[in-house]
Amino acid sequence: MSKVVKFGGSSLADAKQFKKVYQIIKEDKERKFVVPSAPGKRFKEDTKVTDLLYKAYRAQNKSEFNATFEEIKERYQDIIDGLKLNISLDEDFEIMKKAFEDQIGEDYAASRGEYLNGKVLAHYLEFQFIDPKDVIFIDEHGNYDIEKTDPILSAALANVENAVIPGFYGSLNDGSGIIKAFSRGGSDVTGSIVAKNGKVDLYENWTDVSGFLIADPRIVKEPDVIETITYKELRELSYMGASVLHENSVFPVRSEGIPINIKNTNHPEDPGTLIVESTCHKPAHVITGIAGTKGFATVMIEKDMMNSEIGFGRKVLEVFEAHDLSFEHMPSGIDQ
């Protein structure tokens, strides 16, 4: 069996977390490919490195830029010093600084969090570093280009025993070499793409919770963990606000029948949640899980004999389309 392991930002926030990740990877030789996120929050009031990168890129003056850029450099140096590594990122930061000053693009700026974390982690693990810009291609809408990516990435992974492939970004698929990113949380998508093209048996997604919970822990006290869930159920829960896994990350692995295991970096002994295509497993609960999201509105339309008016539904949807609004569900009755 072989595995891809993806680690979220909280799992790689500082040197202490890096050591946990190292132990997890090294204790299982089947964990061949590693997909890291950028450093996340070390404590509640902390700032994620990705947010610092956006802040630096959008800085209104040189003083703000320099202060934020130094803060980013310190975050990585603290990790390097804490792990006692013999690696310097000075050259990378010089290249980044020039690119930021030239306003090369926000996707480039945001991607540097994963890029730098990947370089540090590869050095720490003594794994080969593969830059996603050379092997993953994304279209202008932020979608994974299957036809261009798969043959190149498959060949690259077939030639290495172990590798670190940073998440979240790749190159624009027009041949320009411009850095293009997935949406926030896109490292999950990268992990899925690597799992598919690495022809692994399991995709482990490591985060700071022990799997999918049946309800939001901020609302329900100590909710149970869902042991097994199908891809379809996962998509519904993710779309409706459950934020453990990016909603688009299931497609590459689903096409290959690769299960996903959600695991907790801080409690690696917990079994987590296993995500599969289908299951004959009898669930412990009638309802798999409960999730919610904001930004929705309900529109009620009442009109006598609505059901008999040909084209009424089309006319209503044209109004939504004209105002660039999507709709989720359209129940109907005889007069509504």
Side-chain angles (χ1 to χ4, degrees), residues 227-253:
E227 295 179 2
T228 306
I229 188 173
T230 64
Y231 289 126
K232 183 177 180 180
E233 290 170 328
L234 165 74
R235 283 271 298 163
E236 291 293 336
L237 286 174
S238 295
Y239 180 70
M240 291 304 296
S243 59
V244 175
L245 193 67
H246 193 288
E247 65 188 67
N248 291 329
S249 63
V250 303
F251 293 122
V253 290

Side-chain angles (χ1 to χ4, degrees), residues 25-42:
I25 295 169
K26 291 297 186 178
E27 73 179 8
D28 187 347
K29 292 182 179 180
E30 294 171 348
R31 291 173 175 139
K32 293 183 61 177
F33 306 124
V34 185
V35 177
S37 295
K41 291 185 177 184
R42 296 161 292 183

